[in-house]
């Protein structure tokens, strides 16, 4: 995507190692957890998933949840990302435990996570 | 290493904290240095710059060089990124020393780096 610099609304850049650790909130402004890392398309450089960790909020474990980047909205007010996901959605969402258990993000996994969140085909 | 057969060319994802540390090569396959981090558009999630550190290669200091992501090509052979940049280009390129000296990536800086590399307007 060669989106060149838009003078009207300058893009806001953040260092990759600062995205890691950024807080995530729900629509009510409650802090759900943090982004531990994100999955990037090697070639295009497009972030496709934020991997979120929820600190046992509402009984949801501290697992890693890959959430499609499109589901995130950056909130200047919060200084973090807002996701419109409810407890039921998260409870059944694709996840894994430790970082070492991270799945291979191959085409099948990619498709299955996107499908879960109602994206892609 | 199993060579993957590329049929449909699914996107290949890599964790953000694994991009950090990925090697960078020149067109001759010489290792120039590594990506220390990358700058991402907060909202779109698009990587706009790779911040590279060159370990004193060819007399170029170990400074941090923000290079537009479009200048990078991922090479499966190298397992890293290839940049088509010669010594003269790098010697005069925008850079900063320590991480703490990182500039604010505001619209002006953004434009100036892009212009240096002949991108954007």
């Amino acid at each position: 995507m060669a989106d060149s610099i838009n003078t009207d609304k300058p893009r806001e850049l953040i260092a990759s190692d600062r995205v890691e650790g950024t807080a995530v909130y729900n629509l009510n402004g409650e802090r759900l957890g943090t982004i531990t890392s994100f999955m990037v398309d090697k070639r295009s450089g497009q972030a496709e998933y934020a991997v979120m960790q929820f600190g046992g909020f509402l009984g949801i474990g501290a697992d890693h949840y890959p959430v499609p980047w499109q589901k995130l909205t950056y909130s200047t007010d919060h200084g973090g990302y807002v996701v419109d996901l409810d407890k039921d959605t998260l409870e059944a969402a694709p996840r894994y435990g430790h970082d070492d258990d991270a799945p291979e993000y191959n085409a099948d996994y990619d498709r299955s996570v996107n499908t879960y969140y109602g994206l892609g085909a």
Side-chain angles (χ1 to χ4, degrees), chain A residues 21-35 52-54 57 71-86 90:
Chain A
T22 298
V24 180
Y25 301 87
N26 66 14
L27 289 181
N28 298 326
E30 292 165 313
R31 192 178 191 282
L32 295 176
T34 54
I35 295 179
M52 300 183 180
Q53 195 167 27
F54 303 111
F57 179 79
K71 287 294 192 184
L72 275 62
T73 309
Y74 187 78
S75 160
T76 313
D77 289 349
H78 289 105
Y81 291 92
V82 173
V83 287
D84 180 8
L85 297 174
D86 58 28
L90 285 176

Side-chain angles (χ1 to χ4, degrees), chain A residues 93-117:
Chain A
R95 77 187 73 180
Y96 52 91
H98 197 265
D99 241 358
D100 298 343
D101 303 325
E104 199 196 328
Y105 280 77
N106 57 24
D108 285 344
Y109 186 73
D110 202 2
R111 196 176 302 115
S112 73
V113 179
N114 270 291
T115 302
Y116 181 81
Y117 288 104

Side-chain angles (χ1 to χ4, degrees), chain A residues 38-91:
Chain A
F38 54 106
M39 301 299 298
V40 182
D41 185 306
K42 264 182 193 179
R43 290 178 174 77
S44 72
Q46 175 63 48
E48 300 292 355
Y49 295 103
V51 181
M52 300 183 180
Q53 195 167 27
F54 303 111
F57 179 79
L58 296 173
I60 301 161
D63 287 341
H64 292 77
Y65 293 73
V67 175
W69 191 269
Q70 290 130 281
K71 287 294 192 184
L72 275 62
T73 309
Y74 187 78
S75 160
T76 313
D77 289 349
H78 289 105
Y81 291 92
V82 173
V83 287
D84 180 8
L85 297 174
D86 58 28
K87 192 190 172 190
D88 289 347
T89 303
L90 285 176
E91 274 182 344

